[in-house]
Amino acid sequence: METPNALDIHPDNAVVWHDDRLFLLDQRVLPQETRFVACHSAAETAKAISDMVVRGAPAIGITAAYGVVLAARAWISSNAAADWRVGIGADIEVLAASRPTAVNLFWALERMRRLISVLEAADPVPALLSEARKIHEEDAAANRAMGDFGAELIQGPTDIITHCNAGALATGGYGTALGVVRSAHAAGKVRMVYADETRPWLQGSRLTAWELAQAGIPVTVQSDNVAASMMARGEIGWVVVGSDRIAANGDVCNKIGTYALAVLARHHGVGFMVAAPTSTIDMSVTSGADIPIEERDPEEVLACGGKRIGPNGVTAHNPVFDVTPAALVDCIVTERGVVRQPDAEKMRALMAGV
Ligand code: MRU
């Protein structure tokens, strides 16, 4: 574990290329511990993604793109340098196998693969690094644009519920759902953000709460069971969440528990907003039913804070994402604009740039 002096512990520094290495702010231990993990190879990068050192759909994609740079560098400085283009295919497969649901991972790897197929330079590293940096910077810029679009939809001041962490930590900077919250807060439209704690990894109570507190945005943590009663009291104006993959018909896959929030929001007349860049939209899957849902180790549910709480001999099921049908989504906010009441035709038009 290393934390070079040049690296600030800051939500915008979740993924940093520094000193020819990849540094990841360790999201497994934030905010109680603040440290970076250095990755020197594609395999280490893939393991960091699987182990949740870095998480959040866009951040995973950015990290994997830098992982390809690390792989290229290893090949170029090996005895088999001439075969780098063939060899790197296996490294890309290792990165692709790190997590199954967030499509940004496959989107970023495909972008790197496309570049590799046309690269003519003997040393591919500078071009691949520049592409990874571009993916990173474009994501941060997309989040700023989404922030503005999303904030415009919010009549404030109001209270907002968010789920999981869709902030700077989960992206190239600024955040998707939390980007909307940041922009809305800057416009004086946010009274309070209620961060669902998000069992079992507690992305809400650990990461969202830390990130918003750092930004001076009022945040209150609540257990995952509280949203219904908050909505019933009429205190919530919007639910704002991110996404790991949006299907061609507008179905939204996101952190487990998002679907329940969408049902509750519709029942109580609360707005349900999804903020996600177009790199999260997967036009190759017709509906949410075709999105692979990651199942993680039952121990993540049977333990809390590293301490086992479930009885021995009992198992748990641990699907970590769910699908919210498009019919329950009021709007999908992207860097290209807002899709209200999403359906297949509107998603096609968005992606075709109409
Ligand atoms: O398991 P995680 O922490 O990677 O899940 C992350 C989420 O579900 C986020 O809401 C999603 O990736 C959107 S992040 C901008």
Side-chain angles (χ1 to χ4, degrees):
M1 307 296 169
E2 308 165 52
T3 301
N5 293 335
L7 299 186
D8 284 343
I9 302 289
H10 186 279
D12 274 333
N13 278 348
V15 183
V16 185
W17 183 267
H18 173 76
D19 203 13
D20 267 345
R21 277 171 301 169
L22 176 62
F23 288 90
L24 303 171
L25 186 52
D26 192 342
Q27 300 193 35
R28 298 167 302 180
V29 295
L30 272 175
Q32 301 305 334
E33 285 179 54
T34 48
R35 66 181 184 218
F36 282 89
V37 170
C39 298
H40 306 84
S41 67
E44 280 181 15
T45 307
K47 184 156 176 11
I49 295 173
S50 307
D51 290 353
M52 308 276 287
V53 173
V54 61
R55 31 65 51 203
I60 293 172
I62 293 162
T63 299
Y66 286 122
V68 175
V69 180
L70 293 171
R73 205 182 47 201
W75 278 103
I76 283 301
S77 40
S78 77
N79 293 335
D83 296 329
W84 75 268
R85 205 186 292 271
V86 179
I88 205 167
D91 297 302
I92 292 177
E93 288 312 313
V94 168
L95 287 161
S98 57
R99 287 190 80 186
T101 302
V103 76
N104 307 62
L105 172 68
F106 311 106
W107 173 88
L109 290 175
E110 187 49 36
R111 225 170 114 162
M112 299 303 275
R113 235 188 235 120
R114 268 205 308 272
L115 176 61
I116 288 167
S117 72
V118 296
L119 263 187
E120 280 169 12
D123 180 0
V125 173
L128 291 172
L129 178 56
S130 149
E131 187 69 358
R133 283 195 199 281
K134 230 162 103 189
I135 289 172
H136 196 160
E137 284 157 17
E138 283 172 13
D139 186 67
N143 291 337
R144 297 256 168 200
M146 278 185 263
D148 290 344
F149 287 134
E152 261 176 44
L153 301 172
I154 295 175
Q155 308 288 324
T158 190
D159 293 350
I160 291 173
I161 291 179
T162 191
H163 193 67
C164 195
N165 171 267
L169 286 168
T171 65
Y174 202 66
T176 55
L178 294 193
V180 171
V181 166
R182 284 173 195 270
S183 298
H185 178 258
K189 296 178 171 180
V190 178
R191 213 164 34 213
M192 179 57 69
V193 181
Y194 291 95
D196 283 353
E197 64 174 349
T198 320
R199 280 276 292 149
W201 270 86
L202 305 174
Q203 289 94 332
S205 52
R206 294 187 302 108
L207 307 177
T208 295
W210 180 70
E211 186 172 334
L212 291 181
Q214 292 244 322
I217 298 173
V219 57
T220 300
V221 173
Q222 62 186 18
S223 86
D224 294 332
N225 315 314
V226 174
S229 62
M230 291 295 287
M231 290 187 202
R233 273 192 252 156
E235 291 176 16
I236 306 297
W238 283 91
V239 174
V240 184
V241 293
S243 174
D244 291 84
R245 195 186 296 218
I246 298 175
N249 68 346
D251 287 353
V252 170
C253 179
N254 191 46
K255 179 53 57 192
I256 190 80
T258 302
Y259 175 33
L261 282 177
V263 172
L264 290 171
R266 181 57 53 90
H267 179 76
H268 292 99
V270 169
F272 187 85
M273 183 191 303
V274 178
T278 48
S279 54
T280 299
I281 299 172
D282 184 356
M283 295 301 281
S284 77
V285 298
T286 318
S287 80
D290 300 327
I291 296 175
I293 302 292
E294 180 181 10
E295 288 266 353
R296 293 184 67 90
D297 188 345
E299 282 304 312
E300 293 180 352
V301 173
L302 292 166
C304 193
K307 190 166 181 276
R308 202 171 204 279
I309 47 171
N312 292 334
V314 169
T315 192
H317 77 142
N318 188 15
V320 299
F321 299 101
D322 61 24
V323 173
T324 299
L328 293 176
V329 177
D330 290 306
C331 49
I332 296 177
V333 177
T334 76
E335 76 280 15
R336 296 190 193 168
V338 177
V339 181
R340 291 166 197 268
Q341 277 76 50
D343 62 21
E345 198 180 318
K346 291 176 190 170
M347 296 308 291
R348 223 178 2 253
L350 173 85
M351 295 309 276
V354 178

